[in-house]
């Protein structure tokens, strides 16, 4: 386990991170392009100007981490835990997330256009003012998520818990939902569905 260490201006291009543990470490200007991360844990770490381009993360954890001005272009997360992590001023397109737990994560104001989230737990995740045009949120648990001023134009939301969505406080033109979701939204707006 590595604790409290600072990594700066390092080249980790294409490295394989298998089962490593980092706690309260900071990473600045580190090139993690094409890194393959399997089962590593980062807890309370800070990432600043880190390149995650085309990196692959499987069964890894980034718990209560901070990502600032990082590049996650073409990054994949499969079965990863990002509970409580905060993303600000990050490039995230086109990020793909399958499975895992992103509850309490902060993604507010991010450009998430065309990003993919499938079978992900995103309870109480902050997506305030995020641009999710044509994004996929398929079978995502977004219970109690913060969705104020979210932009979901053309997004696919089928199978997801969108009970926290107020369509009067979001852009939803062309968003795709299922019949049960439509009923939930209608009821939240005061309609009686028979």
């Amino acid at each position: 386990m590595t604790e409290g260490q600072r990594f700066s201006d390092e080249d980790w291009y294409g490295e394989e991170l298998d089962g490593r543990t980092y706690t309260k470490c900071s990473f600045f200007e580190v090139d993690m392009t094409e890194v393959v991360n399997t089962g590593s844990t980062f807890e309370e770490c800070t990432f600043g100007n880190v390149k995650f381009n085309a990196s692959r993360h499987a069964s890894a954890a980034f718990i209560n981490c901070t990502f600032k001005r990082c590049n996650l272009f073409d990054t994949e997360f499969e079965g990863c835990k990002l509970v409580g992590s905060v993303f600000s001023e990050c490039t995230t397109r086109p990020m793909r997330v399958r499975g895992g737990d992103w509850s309490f994560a902060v993604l507010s104001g991010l450009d998430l256009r065309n990003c993919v989230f499938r079978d992900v737990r995103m309870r109480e995740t902050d997506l305030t003012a995020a641009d999710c045009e044509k994004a996929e949120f398929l079978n995502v648990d977004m219970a109690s998520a913060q969705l104020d001023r979210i932009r979901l134009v053309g997004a696919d939301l089928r199978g997801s818990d969108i009970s926290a969505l107020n369509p009067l406080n979001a852009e939803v033109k062309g968003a795709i939902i299922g019949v049960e979701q439509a009923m939930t939204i209608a009821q939240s707006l005061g309609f009686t569905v028979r």
Side-chain angles (χ1 to χ4, degrees):
M1 184 177 85
T2 304
E3 185 170 359
Q5 192 167 334
R6 179 185 173 96
F7 300 89
S8 184
D9 296 308
E10 294 195 14
D11 185 359
W12 291 23
Y13 185 98
E15 280 199 28
E16 293 189 10
L17 309 179
D18 291 337
R20 298 184 191 179
T21 301
Y22 298 90
T23 305
K24 296 182 180 177
C25 293
S26 56
F27 301 82
F28 294 101
E29 303 283 351
V30 176
D31 186 355
M32 293 191 181
T33 301
E34 296 189 19
V35 156
V36 178
N37 171 11
T38 306
S40 291
T41 299
F42 297 83
E43 190 165 357
E44 294 181 39
C45 292
T46 300
F47 299 88
N49 292 319
V50 173
K51 294 178 185 173
F52 287 99
N53 306 13
S55 60
R56 306 289 176 256
H57 307 269
S59 304
F62 295 85
I63 302 167
N64 295 320
C65 291
T66 300
F67 298 82
K68 185 155 187 176
R69 290 189 298 275
C70 293
N71 192 332
L72 293 111
F73 172 79
D74 198 31
T75 300
E76 286 186 7
F77 294 94
E78 187 166 341
C80 293
K81 187 174 183 179
L82 282 93
V83 174
S85 288
V86 178
F87 295 79
S88 63
E89 302 176 61
C90 292
T91 300
T92 54
R93 300 179 56 214
M95 184 172 68
R96 292 174 300 285
V97 180
R98 290 179 179 84
D101 191 347
W102 288 55
S103 297
F104 304 101
V106 177
L107 305 168
S108 57
L110 288 184
D111 183 351
L112 296 171
R113 288 176 295 161
N114 300 105
C115 288
V116 175
F117 295 86
R118 291 187 181 182
D119 304 308
V120 185
R121 183 180 170 102
M122 296 181 81
R123 286 181 168 253
E124 298 191 48
T125 296
D126 187 352
L127 286 159
T128 303
D131 186 350
C132 302
E133 181 178 349
K134 295 184 179 175
E136 291 182 15
F137 291 92
L138 300 174
N139 301 313
V140 174
D141 181 357
M142 293 194 285
S144 302
Q146 297 174 44
L147 305 174
D148 290 342
R149 302 184 320 279
I150 190 170
R151 189 165 187 269
L152 292 165
V153 176
D156 191 342
L157 307 170
R158 288 175 292 174
S160 294
D161 181 340
I162 54 171
S163 56
L165 177 66
N166 178 353
L168 302 177
N169 193 17
E171 286 186 62
V172 295
K173 184 177 181 180
I176 303 167
I177 59 174
V179 174
E180 287 184 22
Q181 293 168 304
M183 290 176 59
T184 299
I185 290 173
Q187 290 170 338
S188 74
L189 292 172
F191 289 97
T192 299
V193 180
R194 294 186 180 177

